[in-house]
Amino acid sequence: MTCAACSTRVEKALNRQPGVKATVNLPAEKARIEFDGSQVTAERLMEVVKKAGYGAREIHEISPSEDKKRRAEAYEHDRRVFLFSLALTAPFLFEMGAMFTGAAHHEFIPRWAQLALATPVQFWIGRRFYIGAWHALRGGGANMDVLVALGTSMAYFFSAVVTVFDLPLHVYFEASAAIVTLVLMGKLLEARAKGKTSAAIEELLKLQPKTAHVERDGKVVELPTDEIRRGDIFLVRAGESVPVDGEVLEGLSSVNESMLTGESLPVDKAVGMKIFAATQNSNGLLRCRATGVGDQTALARIVRLVEEAQGSKAPIQRLADRISGIFVPVVTAISLFTFIGWWWLGGDFTTALINAVAVMVIACPCALGLATPTAIMVGTGSGARAGILVRNAAALERAEKIKTLIVDKTGTLTEGRPSITAAIPLSDTTEKELFRIAASLEQGSTHPLARAILDRAAMNATVPGELRNFAAVPGKGVEGEVAGTRYRLGSLDFVSELGHQAPDALAEELSRRPGTIVAIASTEKTLGFLILSDPIRASSLHAITLLKKQGVEVIMMTGDNARTAAVIAEQAGIPRYFSGVLPEGKAAQVSQARGAGNVVGMVGDGINDAPALAAADVGFAIGAGADVAIEAADITLVRNDLTSVSDAISLSRATLGKIRQNLFFAFIYNVLGIPLAAAGMLNPVIAGAAMAMSSVSVVSNSLLLRRWRPNTIGKRKEG
């Protein structure tokens, strides 16, 4: 594919097939296709691409390093061809110099010598344009190759006829040769710039070590990383990179995870904690068990998400796609009218021909095709380095429009690690018995409140009893049998369903206490209450301040009681909040907020947040949260920090700003350039140079997004 017309044609051809949804990425040279296997096969889809005038192959497993090697070999081949073309074109500099000094009809190089120099440039070096044009026309379309082939052929064959028949007219071999050479130069520069758009993925993959120290048969041996299997024991020494995801079995160290999270401060690692591939062990020796290898590592998942996002299409690109589909036929028509108009009105065939050639070679559909995808590729790559993983380009585009952000409290605004601040046993129940029943009901649970209860029971050396007939009621609590007695643990309303009510004085006192109140009762009586508090994150207040500066209204949503919600909301500086919201009610609150016409974002980390994340215009999942929440979200934040939401909105605005700039440059270039060429104000050589540089300027402008930085200290840099 050489321009936007190519990618648009391939995409249309694929989407005409039954049960197919395809997007084609011009700079990545890839198509991402979802299809119904009962209606069409991958082989049939490749045939469709071939009939459209192009080639395709199915990607099974190709590493970015192999892809980079293939691109490097192609670039080196094109560079050699360009240098040869430049050597043949260089003598024409005298002719072009004469043209600009006013001696346009004085030929420094004999015409037969010019013909000898221009012919290999036109037909050997420039054969790619003829081949591309033939395939496009045979497939029923037209692309940039058609414009270049037509334009240069008109100049070459006119000059050849003048030379062969020794006519008293000027020749334009320098125009045809220079245009081919300049377009090749532009393509080289474009390829070099496009190679940098995927630099973020390459930088991430470089961090994963090639070998690892693995325990085998009681010995530590060095093995290639791809030979590590799940469950293998491996060692990470000070200064080494972690080869695969794992769990620490022995040792104490600090690990630099900035390559995955964007967080510069190292994270302390101890027994039982997770470590991730490509992170850097700062000090100490860690002995670990492999839990994620190959494409199951966090790094591999990040790379997949980034590649999927880079291959997706933003809605803002639709206008450019529609124009690209008709661009070449329209330009060809304008060139034809230019030729007829100049010849008819001026009577000068040569001038009419040269102006028609200028129209063809200055028109550039490439810039339109590259404007959006290159910015998306660089933007999503920059986001990945900062721990912001965007699922698709549409989500990135919507994020800049967010006016209302609904934030789950636990694990998002707060640390997500609640602790017990008070235990209130009732009647003849002791505190130890209260914790024994609570720990028995919560054993095996991974909920933050359950973890706090189990940790406290462990501190008191309380051994949980055997649990039978366990049941969990989302948003309310749990119930089960311990030693033959049925118990409930959960909210006051949940426990009160058994017919037990706390004394009025105690109920009033509990309602005034900040924190989450957990009641424990048997079928016969209420045993007591536990009060848990979850401290607000240190960064939450700063994040809320940043979001407000971005014009975003923040609303807190929680299943906790009104008193606890009010305290946390006040600490975070959030004037509006919803308390006592059950999991099924969260999605309803999000839908209600969207009904007001606002673009609504939702931030959460738990399983019960998944419906609300899916209901929002843009769902943000805190990376350490549940997998189902991450799957339902549009943007995953690897760092457990609400500041990353502000960063994601900032990244969206920066990326969309670049897209708008690129589209403006692409449109204004063609809107101004084509009329100037038609008016006879541009020489074909200048037009060819301008066309070559237009695509390079768009890609280079997108690359400025690499200067964007996350707002980790309250300041942001962007290109």
Side-chain angles (χ1 to χ4, degrees):
M1 299 184 297
T2 58
C3 68
C6 298
S7 55
T8 300
R9 173 155 184 78
V10 173
E11 190 168 286
K12 285 182 178 179
L14 288 169
N15 284 323
R16 288 195 196 105
Q17 305 307 304
V20 171
K21 181 181 178 182
T23 56
V24 177
N25 187 310
L26 175 62
E29 301 173 356
K30 294 178 182 177
R32 181 174 179 80
I33 309 169
E34 297 178 20
F35 63 94
D36 183 349
S38 64
Q39 300 186 62
V40 69
T41 63
E43 290 74 18
R44 169 60 185 162
L45 294 174
M46 286 187 281
E47 287 177 12
V48 168
V49 175
K50 189 174 181 180
K51 286 183 179 179
Y54 304 89
R57 60 187 174 88
E58 187 177 358
I59 298 175
H60 294 284
E61 289 295 332
I62 180 169
S63 68
S65 59
E66 292 175 2
D67 195 38
K68 184 179 180 181
K69 181 181 178 182
R70 178 184 62 82
R71 286 174 178 265
E73 291 173 351
Y75 176 84
E76 184 58 30
H77 173 267
D78 290 346
R79 189 181 72 87
R80 290 194 298 268
V81 172
F82 164 71
L83 291 176
F84 184 62
S85 180
L86 181 63
L88 293 174
T89 306
F92 288 112
L93 291 174
F94 293 104
E95 298 297 319
M96 287 184 280
M99 176 184 65
F100 290 119
T101 57
H105 297 287
H106 184 81
E107 296 174 358
F108 291 91
I109 304 174
R111 289 185 179 184
W112 286 101
Q114 292 187 45
L115 177 62
L117 290 170
T119 299
V121 174
Q122 184 69 34
F123 297 109
W124 181 67
I125 296 170
R127 71 185 184 280
R128 63 171 61 192
F129 302 116
Y130 288 103
I131 294 171
W134 165 247
H135 286 310
L137 293 171
R138 189 186 64 178
N143 60 6
M144 187 199 73
D145 291 331
V146 173
L147 295 178
V148 175
L150 272 177
T152 56
S153 294
M154 288 163 64
Y156 174 85
F157 284 113
F158 171 79
S159 302
V161 169
V162 170
T163 301
V164 171
F165 294 99
D166 196 22
L167 300 176
L169 297 172
H170 183 65
V171 293
Y172 293 93
F173 288 118
E174 79 281 353
S176 64
I179 289 169
V180 170
T181 303
L182 287 169
V183 172
L184 289 180
M185 181 185 71
K187 286 296 178 185
L188 270 182
L189 294 174
E190 181 186 317
R192 187 172 182 179
K194 284 195 297 187
K196 296 178 182 178
T197 60
S198 58
I201 292 179
E202 293 172 10
E203 289 171 10
L204 283 173
L205 292 172
K206 284 179 184 176
L207 297 170
Q208 189 170 20
K210 302 296 183 185
T211 60
H213 304 292
V214 183
E215 290 186 4
R216 290 283 170 87
D217 300 325
K219 297 180 180 179
V220 177
V221 296
E222 188 171 345
L223 295 176
T225 300
D226 55 11
E227 290 186 16
I228 300 180
R229 299 291 176 261
R230 190 182 178 92
D232 280 350
I233 308 300
F234 63 93
L235 304 179
V236 186
R237 298 164 182 168
E240 291 182 342
S241 293
V242 179
V244 295
D245 291 1
E247 180 183 1
V248 178
L249 300 178
E250 295 178 19
L252 184 67
S253 184
S254 59
V255 176
N256 182 355
E257 297 182 346
S258 61
M259 60 288 299
L260 296 183
T261 66
E263 177 59 63
S264 58
L265 295 176
V267 180
D268 291 335
K269 298 293 181 181
V271 175
M273 300 186 73
K274 295 180 179 179
I275 58 172
F276 303 99
T279 56
Q280 189 82 19
N281 184 22
S282 300
N283 51 65
L285 175 67
L286 295 176
R287 184 171 178 265
C288 314
R289 177 186 292 112
T291 57
V293 298
D295 61 359
Q296 299 302 312
T297 65
L299 175 66
R301 289 196 296 271
I302 288 174
V303 170
R304 279 199 302 274
L305 275 173
V306 174
E307 287 181 336
E308 288 176 12
Q310 291 182 342
S312 62
K313 184 171 291 188
I316 196 174
Q317 194 176 344
R318 290 171 186 161
L319 176 61
D321 286 346
R322 286 198 295 270
I323 293 175
S324 298
I326 61 171
F327 187 89
V328 175
V330 169
V331 170
T332 305
I334 294 173
S335 177
L336 179 61
F337 285 126
T338 299
F339 175 75
I340 294 172
W342 277 92
W343 194 11
W344 182 33
L345 296 176
D348 187 343
F349 177 85
T350 304
T351 302
L353 180 69
I354 292 306
N355 290 340
V357 170
V359 169
M360 284 198 172
V361 297
I362 197 169
C364 185
C366 300
L368 287 173
L370 294 169
T372 300
T374 52
I376 293 294
M377 292 179 74
V378 180
T380 51
S382 297
R385 287 201 303 269
I388 301 167
L389 307 180
V390 182
R391 185 172 296 278
N392 53 57
L396 188 65
E397 181 174 338
R398 289 194 301 269
E400 72 151 1
K401 302 181 180 72
I402 290 176
K403 295 299 180 184
T404 301
L405 185 71
I406 298 177
V407 182
D408 178 59
K409 177 184 75 69
T410 305
T412 304
L413 277 173
T414 63
E415 293 285 352
R417 294 193 299 270
S419 58
I420 296 174
T421 55
I424 306 173
L426 298 181
S427 61
D428 57 349
T429 304
T430 64
E431 184 174 312
K432 185 172 183 178
E433 177 67 9
L434 188 68
F435 276 112
R436 188 185 72 82
I437 299 301
S440 300
L441 292 170
E442 294 284 23
Q443 60 185 310
S445 175
T446 58
H447 192 280
L449 295 181
R451 182 51 44 197
I453 292 171
L454 292 169
D455 288 346
R456 181 64 174 270
M459 287 175 58
N460 297 338
T462 301
V463 180
E466 184 179 355
L467 179 65
R468 294 179 179 274
N469 299 321
F470 173 81
V473 182
K476 292 185 176 181
V478 298
E479 59 183 343
E481 292 181 7
V482 180
T485 303
R486 189 147 192 89
Y487 295 95
R488 274 192 177 184
L489 180 151
S491 66
L492 295 177
D493 291 339
F494 181 54
V495 171
S496 67
E497 292 175 4
L498 294 173
H500 309 314
Q501 298 288 342
D504 292 342
L506 179 58
E508 184 178 350
E509 178 190 347
L510 291 174
S511 67
R512 292 196 299 268
R513 289 200 182 194
T516 300
I517 300 170
V518 174
I520 305 158
S522 67
T523 53
E524 299 177 353
K525 62 180 179 179
T526 300
L527 303 180
F529 304 91
L530 300 176
I531 300 177
L532 300 91
S533 64
D534 185 10
I536 190 170
R537 292 185 189 274
S539 60
S540 291
L541 183 58
H542 176 57
I544 300 299
T545 302
L546 290 175
L547 288 164
K548 287 179 178 178
K549 287 181 180 179
Q550 291 175 320
V552 178
E553 179 193 14
V554 181
I555 301 173
M556 187 185 78
M557 185 161 58
T558 178
D560 279 338
N561 59 64
R563 176 61 182 166
T564 301
V567 170
I568 296 296
E570 183 180 359
Q571 291 176 351
I574 301 175
R576 189 178 171 197
Y577 60 87
F578 301 117
S579 61
V581 182
L582 296 178
E584 58 269 24
K586 291 184 177 182
Q589 291 286 1
V590 171
S591 299
Q592 184 178 347
R594 290 184 65 193
N598 292 331
V599 177
V600 177
M602 168 69 194
V603 190
D605 73 328
I607 293 174
N608 59 359
D609 297 323
L613 291 171
D617 292 297
V618 184
F620 298 88
I622 296 291
D627 288 344
V628 68
I630 295 173
E631 286 298 319
D634 299 296
I635 299 176
T636 298
L637 310 173
V638 180
R639 270 195 303 145
N640 287 342
D641 190 340
L642 195 60
T643 307
S644 292
V645 179
S646 174
D647 290 337
I649 294 173
S650 164
L651 176 64
S652 171
R653 293 177 178 178
T655 304
L656 268 293
K658 281 289 175 238
I659 290 174
R660 293 187 185 102
Q661 291 172 16
N662 287 346
L663 288 173
F664 173 78
F665 292 148
F667 280 119
I668 202 69
Y669 164 83
N670 286 294
V671 167
L672 294 178
I674 294 173
L676 287 173
M681 300 175 66
L682 284 177
N683 179 276
V685 176
I686 303 300
M691 189 270 280
M693 291 300 101
S694 62
S695 299
V696 178
S697 64
V698 165
V699 179
S700 299
N701 189 49
S702 295
L703 288 173
L704 292 176
L705 271 172
R706 297 173 70 186
R707 296 166 54 192
W708 178 88
R709 293 293 181 270
N711 204 339
T712 52
I713 55 174
K715 294 183 179 180
R716 175 170 59 89
K717 296 179 182 178
E718 64 182 64

